[in-house]
């Protein structure tokens, strides 16, 4: 899978830079074309001559050399992936802020390809709140973080912070290239977040959904080569700019946005927590507190998933969620049938760590063909990956 791929290897200043030569050798052996970009600091840990000999390409580390300018934009466009290994604490922090003070940073900031990083640092540095926050931030930009490993560190201590071994990085890259084109050419619609149903111009009826699960699903599809559109209720989650985002507020707006794009879609995942009821007559002016009681009349919203199930074409795959508190599986299977979906993803509010607001979720997936996938509690990004895998299995099975 690595064979024929163009890989940009970024090296920053860490003692683990000596392992970059091994990584480079493994990549070349696997048939990749590799170009190396170094930070000036990293050249103190490993010589550019070693790396240029192994890569059979000139190693770049200056923004300009001999009065000529290194074209950082073209490098980021040339590569299928940029992997920064090792990623030092300093370069991590620059990536978060967007500091452009060396060639590696210029390439990173202008890269249009996926960027993966393999951090390397001492345990105390790794566990510092600022480092952990920076890693989270980097992840939110859509960058891939290869986990650090536990073992002997440069300080003489033993703990977390070692760069992933070159063999592990190669395995990760293999897997990345294998999945990166799984949904190439496919158009995906994901709904996410809550809806807000206006009571008057200042108040609404909503729910606790943050949109995390739907946004994670959208990102996972995008990373597997899909053309993704998200219809999002009010949510502060961020997305890579390549994902089209249609912002809506109410269930009615979400229905209309979905209907507008539905015909073009191959796969539709309805993960939004759509309000089941909306206010029949929202007040035009702010409701004053003159009365001691207030009655608001609600009416049912359109069930978007069910409406799409009714008009779904043969080639389209429709997945919905079932958030349950009792008789979970039974209710979920009933929703699968009733709403004419192909796949239903069930989560139960009885599972600790699952549901609204958490960064984790515990899901079970049932499909029309009778497949059943049960999962443990996982991060929402990992759960998203399980959901996308199940959809891939269903679509290609
Ligand atoms: N859904 C929808 N439109 C609605 C309500 C729900 O498209 N007006 C979708 C959700 O996005 C989800 C699925 O239907 O994919 C199931 O949502 P859930 O809240 O679990 O169930 P409901 O159908 O609302 O039924 P109930 O609240 O009675 O369990």
């Amino acid at each position: 899978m690595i064979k024929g791929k163009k890989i940009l290897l970024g090296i920053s200043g860490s003692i683990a830079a000596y392992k970059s030569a091994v990584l480079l050798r493994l990549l070349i052996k696997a048939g990749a074309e590799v170009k190396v970009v170094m930070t000036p600091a990293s050249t103190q840990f490993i010589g550019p001559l070693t790396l240029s000999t192994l890569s059979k390409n000139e190693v770049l580390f200056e923004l300009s050399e001999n009065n000529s300018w290194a074209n950082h934009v073209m490098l980021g466009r040339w590569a299928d992936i940029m992997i920064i290994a090792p990623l030092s604490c300093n370069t991590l922090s620059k990536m978060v802020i967007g500091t452009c003070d060396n060639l590696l940073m210029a390439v990173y900031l202008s890269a249009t390809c996926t960027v993966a990083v393999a951090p390397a640092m001492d345990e105390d540095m790794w566990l510092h709140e600022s480092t952990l926050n920076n890693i989270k931030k980097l992840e939110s930009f859509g960058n891939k973080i290869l986990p650090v490993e536990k073992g002997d560190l440069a300080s003489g201590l033993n703990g977390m912070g070692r760069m992933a071994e070159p063999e592990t990085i190669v395995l990760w890259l293999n897997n990345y290239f294998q999945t990166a084109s799984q949904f190439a050419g496919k158009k995906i619609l994901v709904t996410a977040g809550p809806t807000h149903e206006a009571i008057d111009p200042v108040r609404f009826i909503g729910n606790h959904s943050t949109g995390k699960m739907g946004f994670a699903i959208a990102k996972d599809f995008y990373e597997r080569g899909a053309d993704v559109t998200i219809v999002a209720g009010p949510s502060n989650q961020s997305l890579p700019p390549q994902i089209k985002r249609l912002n809506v507020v109410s269930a009615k707006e979400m229905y209309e946005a979905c209907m507008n794009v539905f015909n073009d879609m191959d796969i539709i995942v309805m993960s939004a927590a759509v309000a089941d009821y909306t206010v029949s007559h929202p007040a035009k002016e702010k409701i004053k507190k003159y009365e001691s009681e207030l009655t608001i009349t609600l009416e049912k919203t359109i069930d978007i998933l069910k409406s799409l199930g009714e008009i779904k074409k043969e080639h389209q795959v429709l997945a919905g969620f079932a958030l349950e508190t009792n008789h979970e599986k039974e209710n979920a299977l009933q929703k699968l049938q009733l709403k004419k979906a192909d796949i239903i993803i069930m989560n139960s509010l009885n599972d600790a760590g699952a549901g609204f607001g958490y960064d984790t979720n515990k899901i079970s997936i049932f499909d029309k063909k009778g497949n059943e996938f049960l999962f443990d509690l996982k991060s929402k990004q990992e759960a998203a990956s399980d959901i996308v895998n199940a959809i891939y299995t269903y679509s290609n099975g």
Side-chain angles (χ1 to χ4, degrees):
M1 266 297 171
I2 284 181
K3 194 164 188 279
K5 292 291 188 279
K6 296 182 182 115
I7 299 177
L8 194 56
L9 174 60
I11 303 179
S12 62
S14 153
I15 187 72
Y18 79 91
K19 289 196 207 167
S20 307
V22 181
L23 173 61
L24 174 55
R25 225 177 127 250
L26 291 173
L27 293 174
I28 298 287
K29 253 178 111 177
E33 190 184 341
V34 188
K35 290 188 181 177
V36 180
V37 185
M38 305 178 75
T39 64
S42 71
T43 60
Q44 294 184 11
F45 294 93
I46 183 156
L49 187 59
T50 309
L51 300 163
S52 67
T53 310
L54 289 171
S55 68
K56 300 190 182 71
N57 270 318
E58 186 190 0
V59 169
L60 303 159
F61 53 92
E62 305 268 26
L63 265 166
S64 68
E65 223 173 326
N66 302 329
N67 294 327
S68 83
W69 174 68
N71 193 335
H72 53 84
V73 176
M74 285 331 288
L75 272 172
R77 287 184 178 251
W78 166 83
D80 293 311
I81 192 166
M82 177 180 192
I83 168 114
I84 306 179
L87 173 70
S88 69
C89 204
N90 193 31
T91 296
L92 165 65
S93 146
K94 287 183 191 178
M95 286 167 82
V96 169
I97 302 167
T99 310
C100 187
D101 65 349
N102 61 43
L103 181 63
L104 186 142
M105 283 308 305
V107 173
Y108 165 69
L109 289 168
S110 52
T112 49
C113 60
T114 298
V115 179
V117 299
M121 58 196 81
D122 223 65
E123 185 175 57
D124 296 328
M125 270 172 127
W126 173 248
L127 294 178
H128 195 283
E129 215 175 323
S130 64
T131 309
L132 298 176
N133 282 338
N134 281 344
I135 288 284
K136 267 199 190 150
K137 196 86 191 155
L138 216 56
E139 223 168 0
S140 77
F141 298 162
N143 299 150
K144 304 271 139 215
I145 320 289
L146 274 76
V148 293
E149 293 180 3
K150 193 169 191 251
D152 292 333
L153 300 165
S155 58
L157 297 171
N158 187 287
M160 292 302 287
R162 273 173 73 91
M163 183 177 94
E165 288 302 324
E167 291 76 8
T168 311
I169 298 178
V170 171
L171 274 178
W172 185 92
L173 283 168
N174 251 319
N175 185 53
Y176 168 79
F177 285 122
Q178 223 158 43
T179 56
S181 56
Q182 264 179 350
F183 289 95
K186 295 283 179 209
K187 291 193 164 178
I188 318 279
L189 170 66
V190 180
T191 65
T195 63
H196 288 178
E197 309 304 319
I199 296 172
D200 68 9
V202 292
R203 305 175 181 98
F204 61 84
I205 298 174
N207 57 63
H208 294 297
S209 168
T210 57
K212 277 182 191 157
M213 196 63 246
F215 278 69
I217 295 169
K219 275 185 208 157
D220 201 277
F221 270 119
Y222 164 67
E223 280 159 13
R224 300 198 204 191
D227 175 356
V228 186
T229 301
I230 194 163
V231 173
S235 164
N236 58 12
Q237 301 293 308
S238 61
L239 278 174
Q242 294 86 344
I243 296 179
K244 284 179 224 87
R245 178 174 182 157
L246 305 173
N247 286 321
V248 296
V249 177
S250 64
K252 185 166 178 282
E253 285 176 16
M254 188 169 276
Y255 168 77
E256 283 162 3
C258 290
M259 284 309 235
N260 278 341
V261 295
F262 180 71
N263 277 339
D264 280 346
M265 299 295 158
D266 298 297
I267 297 169
I268 305 95
V269 184
M270 309 294 294
S271 75
V274 190
D276 290 331
Y277 291 89
T278 189
V279 179
S280 300
H281 304 289
K284 296 234 167 2
E285 310 293 341
K286 185 183 172 205
I287 300 171
K288 303 300 278 179
K289 55 174 179 206
Y290 299 136
E291 312 296 337
S292 58
E293 274 188 3
L294 175 70
T295 304
I296 298 170
T297 309
L298 303 178
E299 62 188 36
K300 248 191 180 168
T301 55
I302 302 175
D303 190 318
I304 308 170
L305 177 60
K306 192 159 177 273
S307 310
L308 300 183
E310 302 285 350
I311 57 169
K312 182 178 99 67
K313 307 219 180 55
E314 193 59 36
H315 78 276
Q316 291 178 308
V317 175
L318 180 62
F321 271 71
L323 177 62
E324 305 297 339
T325 53
N326 60 326
H327 303 301
E328 289 94 335
K329 184 174 170 185
E330 202 182 315
N331 284 336
L333 289 175
Q334 209 175 4
K335 274 179 194 162
L336 178 72
Q337 216 181 11
L338 193 78
K339 303 198 184 196
K340 297 195 173 128
D342 300 291
I343 298 169
I344 201 98
I345 303 130
M346 184 199 90
N347 46 13
S348 164
L349 279 186
N350 293 326
D351 288 321
F356 295 150
Y358 292 104
D359 285 326
T360 49
N361 205 357
K362 185 171 184 321
I363 54 162
S364 304
I365 304 177
F366 308 100
D367 72 25
K368 228 169 57 182
K369 295 177 183 167
N371 291 316
E372 235 185 83
F373 306 95
L374 311 179
F375 301 96
D376 294 330
L377 187 72
K378 293 182 176 190
S379 74
K380 283 197 167 156
Q381 199 59 59
E382 287 170 317
S385 189
D386 291 334
I387 292 167
V388 176
N389 283 340
I391 294 174
Y392 185 77
T393 306
Y394 181 86
S395 313
N396 294 281

